[in-house]
Amino acid sequence: MTTFREVARSAPEGAGQRLLDAEVPTVLCLGDSPVPDRLPPLPFSVARRTEVPRAEAFRDGAEAAVGCARPAGPCSFSKEDARHAQDIRRFAASCLRRWGVEEDVVSAAGLIASELFTSELRYGAGSVIRVQLIAGAATFTLAVAGGGPYVPVYPMVEPDEQGRRGLFLVDHLARVHRGYWGLSADGTAWCLLASAGLRAAA
């Protein structure tokens, strides 16, 4: 059975720092596989490396961590873990609505989050998949990382090929919503999207 553990701003001091940087206060842990008490900062968090664009003028952040079983090693996953794609979609949508992002962008971002999570689950090897959202004044960044030494290879598919079209969908949704996406050298998949709702609330 899926268990949810969430640490919000109202939690005791330090409780929200188990997985995250100080800037990112919300933690959602999913899955039956254990998640370590401490994980290193993600490359798109404190380090602010240029490989993964940051939403400007930091406003808020959230992160979900999914403990994954790899029954047959890299690129294997359980059906139970695959079901967490819907949890990630709902997590992203909930955070973005709380930040005032307009509904059409929320829907697109939720779908992008679930597609990037599924790609990492299918082609990665990390025992923990992390999904981070960083909200700025007019844009937000969504990034997914497996956290392991193995860098997943996302196969390109032909336009008429059936299945495995998740990244085509990500590309289309990013373009429609005035954003862009990419894959960093360490395997982090990210997407930056614009939001009139964030800009209006700035």
Side-chain angles (χ1 to χ4, degrees):
M1 178 176 169
T2 300
T3 58
F4 292 84
R5 291 174 287 151
E6 187 166 3
V7 180
R9 289 185 189 279
S10 58
E13 184 176 350
Q17 309 311 315
R18 193 171 68 83
L19 297 175
L20 307 175
D21 309 317
E23 286 186 335
V24 184
T26 302
V27 182
L28 175 66
C29 297
L30 300 168
D32 296 324
S33 300
V35 174
D37 283 341
R38 294 209 170 271
L39 292 172
L42 291 172
F44 48 89
S45 301
V46 169
R48 299 172 188 261
R49 295 179 186 170
T50 57
E51 261 195 304
V52 180
R54 281 281 296 215
E56 77 298 340
F58 174 84
R59 175 178 298 171
D60 207 343
E63 182 177 325
V66 181
C68 298
R70 295 287 186 184
C75 299
S76 68
F77 58 92
S78 68
K79 290 182 179 178
E80 290 75 19
D81 290 337
R83 294 189 185 109
H84 290 307
Q86 290 302 315
D87 296 326
I88 291 300
R89 187 172 182 172
R90 288 192 293 266
F91 168 75
S94 175
C95 292
L96 294 172
R97 286 189 183 109
R98 189 174 71 236
W99 298 338
V101 174
E102 56 273 33
E103 194 58 36
D104 62 327
V105 180
V106 168
S107 297
L111 189 51
I112 288 170
S114 65
E115 289 293 343
L116 294 182
F117 170 82
T118 300
S119 290
E120 178 63 42
L121 185 66
R122 181 170 294 172
Y123 303 115
S127 60
V128 178
I129 297 177
R130 302 166 72 184
V131 180
Q132 192 176 75
L133 291 161
I134 298 292
T139 62
F140 63 90
T141 304
L142 184 160
V144 178
Y150 177 88
V151 176
V153 176
Y154 300 100
M156 296 305 294
V157 297
E158 296 299 323
D160 59 348
E161 185 176 345
Q162 298 297 315
R164 297 195 308 165
R165 301 181 62 82
L167 295 183
F168 281 116
L169 180 60
V170 169
D171 182 69
H172 171 72
L173 291 172
R175 290 173 186 269
V176 166
H177 295 284
R178 297 171 294 134
Y180 53 103
W181 71 283
L183 298 168
S184 66
D186 67 352
T188 299
W190 54 265
C191 184
L192 186 141
L193 296 174
S195 167
L198 285 173
R199 184 163 50 249

